[in-house]
Amino acid sequence: MTAAEIRATDAAGSTPGEYFSRMYADRPDPWQLADRWYERRKYALTLAALPEPEYRSGFEPGCSVGVLSALLAGRCRALLSCDREERACAQARQRLAHLPHVRIEQRVLPADWPGPGERFDLVVLSELLYYFTAAEVAGLLDLAVRSLEPGGTLLLVHWRHPVAEHALTADAVHRQTRAHPALVRIAGHHEPDFLLDVLIRPGRAGTPAGRLSVAAREGLT
């Protein structure tokens, strides 16, 4: 984004919390995450894009009713998912009650981002960052990087079509993320409806090229 675009989005402000309260007050699953083929397909692509078969600890802010959380739980030995709306968290807890390695918590970002003592090797930002201004996105990306272990995975996926309540577009969010100096993009998927990017936080001495290749780690190249 240009400096002028950043100033414009920051002046407009982030999506107000009342928007989410209103959405969940009207219906339990306002985006029909559990029912739509579009969502099931997107989630399948999301899981397939993860470069590791299993993660020690994952963090999924903005989990809504926990549909993606249930899928991520199968790839994480521990998973923390959160949402700002307690109505959403209650449904997510019910959906994942049989999975003791998953925590569902009510948190409002960026204030309630996990503290420095909690580290993750996977952070998933799904349909989240476009609710924030460019300055807030920059802060959230810095928090994600600090929370990621060296070699950890950051995955983003966002709806591309215009939504009046969004502070940013998916394209703007993903451009900003790809430009982050502490992240290396290893994979991406784009289509008219959504963008998906997979990035790695390299180690202090940099991440060898082989570490960025799934085939190389499997000894195929």
Side-chain angles (χ1 to χ4, degrees):
M1 299 179 71
T2 67
E5 288 172 327
I6 291 173
R7 286 194 297 270
T9 61
D10 289 350
S14 59
T15 304
E18 292 77 11
Y19 166 72
F20 304 100
S21 300
R22 187 171 64 252
M23 292 293 286
Y24 285 100
D26 292 341
R27 48 196 185 276
D29 183 5
W31 291 279
Q32 296 181 268
L33 304 179
D35 301 322
R36 286 181 170 148
W37 161 244
Y38 167 81
E39 298 293 346
R40 294 198 300 273
R41 174 180 176 270
K42 184 187 68 176
Y43 292 151
L45 289 166
T46 299
L47 272 288
L50 293 174
E52 303 290 347
E54 184 181 66
Y55 290 88
R56 179 193 62 82
S57 181
F59 179 44
E60 179 207 10
C63 68
S64 187
V65 296
V67 179
L68 178 57
S69 312
L71 300 172
L72 292 172
R75 299 282 292 273
C76 298
R77 297 197 295 275
L79 177 65
L80 170 60
S81 296
C82 68
D83 199 273
R84 66 175 296 133
E85 286 299 313
E86 178 55 34
R87 289 186 182 94
C89 291
Q91 292 186 71
R93 291 189 194 103
Q94 183 176 12
R95 178 172 274 111
L96 284 83
H98 63 294
L99 299 174
H101 67 294
V102 178
R103 288 184 289 150
I104 306 293
E105 299 180 357
Q106 184 182 18
R107 294 177 180 238
V108 178
L109 300 182
D112 295 331
W113 191 276
E118 192 155 17
R119 302 293 296 276
F120 308 96
D121 54 355
L122 173 65
V123 174
V124 175
L125 304 177
S126 175
E127 312 295 357
L128 177 68
L129 290 184
Y130 44 42
Y131 293 118
F132 296 89
T133 67
E136 290 169 330
V137 168
L140 287 166
L141 291 174
D142 287 342
L143 287 170
V145 168
R146 287 198 290 270
S147 293
L148 275 174
E149 296 175 348
T153 300
L154 175 66
L155 186 145
L156 281 76
V157 57
H158 291 89
W159 172 254
R160 296 185 79 182
H161 298 285
V163 177
E165 292 82 4
H166 288 180
L168 294 172
T169 66
D171 290 68
V173 163
H174 283 247
R175 282 197 304 269
Q176 187 172 354
T177 304
R178 292 168 192 161
H180 196 287
L183 296 168
V184 177
R185 181 174 182 261
I186 65 166
H189 173 84
H190 73 276
E191 55 184 78
D193 296 325
F194 69 91
L195 292 175
L196 186 153
D197 276 307
V198 182
L199 306 100
I200 298 292
R201 179 198 172 191
R204 290 181 180 177
T207 298
R211 180 72 180 124
L212 303 178
S213 165
V214 176
R217 294 201 302 276
E218 293 280 298
L220 300 176
T221 61

